[in-house]
Amino acid sequence: MKKTFSLFLAISAITFSSFAQPNQNDESFKWFKKASEVINYQLNQATKTYLPGKNPRSINPDGTVRLAGLTDWTTGFFPGSLWYGYELTGDKKLAQEAKKFTLALDSIRNIKTTHDLGFMLFCSYGNAYRITNDSIYLPALRDGAQNLANRFNSKIGVIKSWDFSWWHYPVIIDNMMNLEYLYWAAKEFNQPDYANAANTHALTTMKNHFRKDYSSYHVVDYDPLTGKVLRKATHQGLTDESSWARGQGWGLYGYTLCYKNSKNPKFLKQAENIASFIMNHPRMPKDKVPVWDFDVHNAMDTAERAPRDASAAAVIASALLDLSTQVKDGKKYVDYAEDILQSLSSDAYLAKPDENSYFLLKHSVGAFLYNSEIDTPLDYADYYYLEALNRYADIKKIDSSITIR
Ligand code: GLY
């Protein structure tokens, strides 16, 4: 795709000598070029190291790699990263591998017990279909969307996120991310009810998940019979009342995609208010990579000591770039996302070639209070970092293709 774009740019440059495009050797884009080279190397090595259906998820404290099997909520991210890597660099080898790693996930279409079907199938199969237009990817996308839509309860007005543990009818802020799959499937498979469910879920979540300052609770538990809110709580944050960093990112990304798909101005306003909460947060560190929860701030846990969450930063950057395209003057969002991407592309976060078990980013947090995946690479940090780089390249009109050796 980017190759085609490069060709277009080359022809345009010959045809219209005044065609405005950034100077690819411009100092200000050097970080981007360097990151693309590292990404291409690491992703290619990863495809030689890992097997389809057993995707790299994170690094365990003993240095071994935690793999994501077919029922793991993160399993779609590695194939999705390969697709985004192909888009970013134009390396056809990545597209070939992406196809193998995607098709290995076919059985996910039968899962009915989680809202994560969007993460699992839309990030893998969804990108595959968007990029290739190959109908081989459609059956899994069709079944998965139906199973996701079946989790919507019109009485309560939300999709049920989880089937496990002590909750009655739990809805997590992360669930906003999976609405994108429903909006897309509504059009692709002519199922307007899917889009209606997505809109209603977003409206109910807006009412019950958010505080006055536009920060969000992680989990809202509903009474399945009456739809009454039973409890507002956390699962991965510091406390029920704290602002779990990735959750704030999920909300920002979610309302941006809802506005893009529905054009309901309430969703745009919500996205801008969440962006403002994040961007003006007094405890956002200078490099704009948040600590895993914005409320970690006691004397023992200053921003310098507490683990950062690169995955939250990547989600926020990608969402802000998307939001910038939906408003009249999106410059403040692009500038902020650019700062994040420069931080993530620096040696502090981006792996050096051959390091980090071929993951791209270091320093994310999965679930701190469960002592799970603390200060580790995470497959979804890499995925949203790549998505953000692609969005940034589009906005800045950077030709991100690299010389394939
Ligand atoms: N969706 C689970 C998480 O963000 O960790």
Side-chain angles (χ1 to χ4, degrees):
M1 269 195 141
K2 283 277 145 72
K3 283 285 173 212
T4 321
F5 185 52
S6 315
L7 186 66
F8 166 74
L9 287 180
I11 294 167
S12 305
I14 296 162
T15 320
F16 315 105
S17 51
S18 61
F19 185 80
Q21 60 160 305
N23 177 355
Q24 300 301 310
N25 298 319
D26 188 327
E27 273 299 311
S28 55
F29 291 119
K30 280 215 165 123
W31 65 270
F32 186 96
K33 283 278 161 197
K34 188 196 138 214
S36 304
E37 297 279 346
V38 173
I39 287 164
N40 189 252
Y41 181 81
Q42 293 287 89
L43 288 179
N44 270 293
Q45 290 303 112
T47 63
K48 293 175 198 157
T49 308
Y50 303 106
L51 293 171
K54 291 182 179 173
N55 298 330
R57 170 176 165 145
S58 61
I59 300 184
N60 294 313
D62 67 3
T64 57
V65 171
R66 177 173 174 182
L67 299 171
L70 293 175
T71 55
D72 187 308
W73 79 274
T74 74
T75 201
F77 292 119
F78 182 66
S81 289
L82 297 176
W83 287 115
Y84 274 143
Y86 164 61
E87 269 195 308
L88 188 74
T89 65
D91 184 347
K92 288 199 177 66
K93 282 201 302 304
L94 290 179
Q96 283 158 13
E97 293 295 328
K99 183 173 183 176
K100 283 191 231 159
F101 278 87
T102 299
L103 292 175
L105 306 187
D106 183 67
S107 63
I108 293 173
R109 66 158 104 174
N110 300 316
I111 294 178
K112 298 184 171 68
T113 48
T114 176
H115 74 111
D116 285 322
L117 288 163
F119 287 124
M120 296 161 93
L121 286 172
F122 202 51
C123 298
S124 52
Y125 281 79
N127 277 312
Y129 184 65
R130 178 180 62 78
I131 290 171
T132 64
N133 212 29
D134 187 339
S135 60
I136 194 174
Y137 300 112
L138 284 177
L141 284 166
R142 182 184 283 110
D143 291 352
Q146 184 62 59
N147 285 334
L148 178 57
N150 286 347
R151 295 183 65 79
F152 177 71
N153 177 326
S154 56
K155 190 161 174 198
I156 311 178
V158 272
I159 290 161
K160 189 181 183 196
S161 302
W162 297 326
D163 285 1
F164 65 85
S165 111
W166 56 87
W167 308 98
H168 300 85
Y169 192 103
V171 179
I172 57 173
I173 191 68
D174 326 29
N175 203 141
M176 289 296 301
M177 299 296 287
N178 296 317
L179 303 184
E180 192 164 22
Y181 184 18
L182 287 184
Y183 282 120
W184 172 84
K187 283 194 212 130
E188 183 67 30
F189 304 122
N190 193 23
Q191 297 279 2
D193 282 357
Y194 293 1
N196 294 339
N199 287 330
T200 306
H201 180 100
L203 287 168
T204 310
T205 299
M206 195 190 285
K207 197 167 111 216
N208 295 328
H209 260 82
F210 285 86
R211 307 183 184 104
K212 281 203 176 71
D213 62 1
Y214 297 98
S215 66
S216 53
Y217 290 94
H218 185 195
V219 192
V220 174
D221 197 19
Y222 293 88
D223 182 325
L225 296 176
T226 63
K228 201 175 137 247
V229 172
L230 296 174
R231 196 178 153 205
K232 300 187 181 194
T234 198
H235 181 62
Q236 279 156 272
L238 181 66
T239 67
D240 288 350
E241 290 301 323
S242 73
S243 300
W244 175 49
R246 192 161 57 255
Q248 310 316 304
W250 292 145
L252 171 64
Y253 193 118
Y255 282 96
T256 304
L257 79 84
C258 286
Y259 175 68
K260 253 172 55 176
N261 283 281
S262 68
K263 295 296 169 208
N264 182 339
K266 280 188 193 165
F267 296 153
L268 181 62
K269 213 167 151 223
Q270 187 76 0
E272 293 217 84
N273 283 328
I274 302 169
S276 173
F277 173 82
I278 294 171
M279 291 163 64
N280 298 313
H281 201 288
R283 282 189 291 278
M284 179 63 92
K286 277 200 188 64
D287 66 3
K288 300 190 171 77
V289 178
V291 166
W292 63 278
D293 190 299
F294 281 109
D295 291 290
V296 172
H297 62 103
N298 64 41
M300 292 303 292
D301 278 328
T302 63
E304 283 66 42
R305 286 190 201 175
R308 305 298 186 87
D309 184 6
S311 77
V315 171
I316 291 167
S318 189
L320 288 176
L321 290 166
D322 207 22
L323 182 57
S324 78
T325 66
Q326 302 300 308
V327 295
K328 271 204 195 81
D329 181 13
K331 187 175 178 310
K332 67 178 175 201
Y333 300 133
V334 176
D335 289 350
Y336 199 95
E338 181 176 65
D339 287 348
I340 295 177
L341 288 178
Q342 289 204 26
S343 294
L344 295 181
S345 304
S346 73
D347 288 347
Y349 295 95
L350 184 62
K352 293 208 165 48
D354 284 324
E355 290 182 354
N356 215 30
S357 301
Y358 305 119
F359 288 94
L360 306 178
L361 296 179
K362 304 176 276 186
H363 307 314
S364 288
V365 174
F368 188 91
L369 294 186
Y370 291 85
N371 200 20
S372 171
E373 298 182 310
I374 299 173
D375 197 16
T376 175
L378 283 171
D379 47 1
Y380 42 98
D382 288 0
Y383 177 87
Y384 290 104
Y385 172 59
L386 285 164
E387 182 180 77
L389 288 173
N390 274 304
R391 288 178 170 175
Y392 181 80
D394 283 348
I395 289 167
K396 294 282 183 182
K397 299 191 171 32
I398 304 171
D399 170 12
S400 58
S401 59
I402 64 164
T403 310
I404 312 296
R405 283 178 275 273

